Amino acid sequence: MIRLADIIQTFEAEFLQQYTGQLLAVQRNALSAIRNCRSAISPKMQAECSDCAHQIRVPHSCGHRSCPHCQAHESQRWIERQVEKLVPGDYFLITFTLPAELRPLALNNQQAIYPLILQCAWDTIHSFSQNDKALQGTPGAVAVLHTHSRALDYHPHTHLVVPAAAIDSKRRLWRTKKAKYLFDHKALAKVFRAKMLDGIRQAGLGLPRRYPEKWVVDCKNVGTGEKALVYLGRYLYRGVIPEKNILRCENDQVTYRYQNSKTKKIERRTVSGVAFLRMILQHVLPKGFRRARNFGFLHPNSKRQIKLLQLLLNRIPDPVWVEPKKRPTLCCPCCGGEMKIVRTGIKPGYDRFTMAEGAG
């Protein structure tokens, strides 16, 4: 396995020489964080064994959401929180895709376009649910924005995991729908297109001269919803490529593998090291942007309502998903006992620290 940090160290100088004037501050920070993650120059934590009092120092992880090493625990916790909200009925995975002609606009205006994609997708689902004869109410949705294809190309799209159910707050009714398709995907695409174009104009952004009349929205049944949530959660905090998929780094080129979304076959792609870093950094999200959001009756403010629904409908989530997983423990190299973090933020070459009860 080839570490992404090693690739950054190898090609960073050449990359910065070519793209210095084009990099955003968040991209520079991501480059630095991933390169230094758990390295000799990163701050240290001091750990002490609970049994034999042996002490060691271990490097901090960077904690950056684009780092392939960090926040695996946060990803698992996000999955657990979403599964706790599952309600009875069929779930659908609805994918709204921005056409290729508008992708340069999105790349250059991420602060405006990314929230717009999420909001327009939700508004489309909400309006369809309100007008649907079987639902006639407010739906719920778990939305996650992705900016990349499996080949790492820039491909902004959002996934919504939506139960075929809605709440009529006026009449206090819970309605569900049994159907092969939740909504017509062509009709969804038309409404989403209209909302996106209107939002772009209201934001004061110029549209390209040509863009397609037909956009793409995919809607498929995903059963009870658990697998779809696990699929989205795995890629939420772990960067855009697992390091196990980086196969070679030689002759100034990087080779990686990915699964073709159409043929389902594993394919390989070789690009220059500089191009590879550029592909990785173009998917770094704007500072403070939340790529995962909950809407409707699945909003965080509706926790009590969800618990009441599950109780009334006799649907309690499977505890295998709900039970929280503990963070990995650090074992003592002397006796194998559990070690606790007693100090954090120790700078390399210094013995300055801050007290902490938990891991840093």
Side-chain angles (χ1 to χ4, degrees):
M1 183 180 70
I2 299 173
R3 297 177 69 245
L4 182 56
D6 294 336
I7 295 178
I8 293 175
Q9 289 181 345
T10 302
F11 299 105
E12 183 178 17
E14 183 181 356
F15 174 78
L16 291 177
Q17 187 176 5
Q18 292 187 30
Y19 293 103
T20 295
Q22 304 177 35
L23 289 181
L24 301 174
V26 290
Q27 294 174 327
R28 288 181 175 274
N29 292 339
L31 197 69
S32 175
I34 298 172
R35 169 173 33 84
N36 297 335
C37 182
R38 303 179 187 178
S39 68
I41 63 175
S42 63
K44 302 295 189 296
M45 301 180 291
Q46 187 160 326
E48 183 177 88
C49 179
S50 302
D51 297 331
C52 68
H54 178 72
Q55 293 188 348
I56 60 172
R57 288 184 179 180
V58 293
H60 272 288
S61 59
C62 67
H64 199 281
R65 58 180 171 179
S66 296
C67 179
H69 292 288
C70 296
Q71 301 197 38
H73 181 78
E74 295 303 321
S75 180
Q76 178 63 31
R77 288 296 298 130
W78 181 87
I79 294 172
E80 292 165 357
R81 288 195 299 270
Q82 305 314 313
V83 174
E84 285 177 355
K85 301 177 183 179
L86 287 174
V87 295
D90 292 335
Y91 274 72
F92 290 81
L93 180 63
I94 306 176
T95 305
F96 295 84
T97 302
L98 201 66
E101 290 81 356
L102 269 65
R103 291 171 194 168
L105 177 69
L107 185 60
N108 295 322
N109 300 275
Q110 298 175 22
Q111 292 277 12
I113 298 297
Y114 288 173
L116 188 61
I117 295 175
L118 286 165
Q119 190 61 49
C120 289
W122 161 246
D123 288 345
T124 301
I125 294 298
H126 185 264
S127 63
F128 270 72
S129 180
Q130 291 282 355
N131 297 324
D132 188 88
K133 293 182 179 179
L135 297 177
Q136 300 181 44
T138 300
V142 179
V144 176
L145 178 79
H146 285 168
T147 62
H148 59 92
S149 67
R150 293 183 179 181
L152 299 188
D153 295 319
Y154 187 67
H155 184 262
H157 59 282
T158 184
H159 298 288
L160 272 71
V161 180
V162 182
I167 292 178
D168 185 340
S169 56
K170 293 182 179 180
R171 299 184 179 181
R172 297 185 179 182
L173 293 176
W174 169 258
R175 298 191 181 100
T176 59
K177 181 178 180 179
K178 280 289 184 180
K180 187 176 181 181
Y181 302 101
L182 182 59
F183 305 121
D184 181 75
H185 67 98
K186 293 183 179 179
L188 286 170
K190 289 181 180 179
V191 175
F192 176 67
R193 177 185 183 274
K195 290 182 179 294
M196 278 296 303
L197 294 180
D198 182 60
I200 291 172
R201 294 190 185 99
Q202 289 187 19
L205 302 177
L207 288 165
R209 292 184 177 181
R210 296 182 180 180
Y211 47 85
E213 288 292 328
K214 294 183 179 180
W215 289 21
V216 177
V217 173
D218 180 67
C219 181
K220 62 180 179 181
N221 191 304
V222 289
T224 57
E226 289 102 329
K227 291 184 178 180
L229 292 171
V230 171
Y231 166 75
L232 295 180
R234 283 176 179 171
Y235 303 100
L236 196 56
Y237 296 99
R238 302 295 297 274
V240 296
I241 182 171
E243 289 183 330
K244 65 180 181 181
N245 289 342
I246 304 175
L247 304 179
R248 289 194 300 275
C249 179
E250 55 189 16
N251 300 323
D252 294 332
Q253 292 185 319
V254 176
T255 300
Y256 62 95
R257 64 186 177 188
Y258 64 94
Q259 185 183 51
N260 188 301
S261 58
K262 294 182 179 180
T263 65
K264 304 301 180 183
K265 294 182 178 180
I266 301 298
E267 298 184 1
R268 297 187 178 189
R269 186 176 185 180
T270 300
V271 297
S272 68
V274 171
F276 182 76
L277 292 185
R278 181 62 177 166
M279 294 171 70
I280 295 295
L281 291 182
Q282 70 181 347
H283 304 301
V284 174
L285 297 172
K287 185 178 180 180
F289 175 75
R290 293 183 297 111
R291 66 186 300 180
R293 306 185 185 189
N294 293 62
F295 296 99
F297 66 77
L298 293 178
H299 191 275
N301 291 340
S302 303
K303 289 181 180 179
R304 293 181 63 183
Q305 188 177 53
I306 289 294
K307 294 297 183 184
L308 178 60
L309 277 172
Q310 291 172 341
L311 181 63
L312 294 175
L313 300 172
N314 194 26
R315 170 62 168 91
I316 305 300
D318 190 342
V320 70
W321 293 107
V322 176
E323 183 182 357
K325 290 188 176 181
K326 296 182 179 180
R327 289 181 181 271
T329 57
L330 184 64
C331 296
C332 177
C334 295
C335 67
E338 181 178 348
M339 305 195 78
K340 294 183 178 180
I341 304 300
V342 294
R343 299 175 182 175
T344 64
I346 304 174
K347 298 181 180 180
Y350 296 89
D351 195 21
R352 300 171 62 187
F353 59 85
T354 58
M355 296 303 295
E357 296 180 359

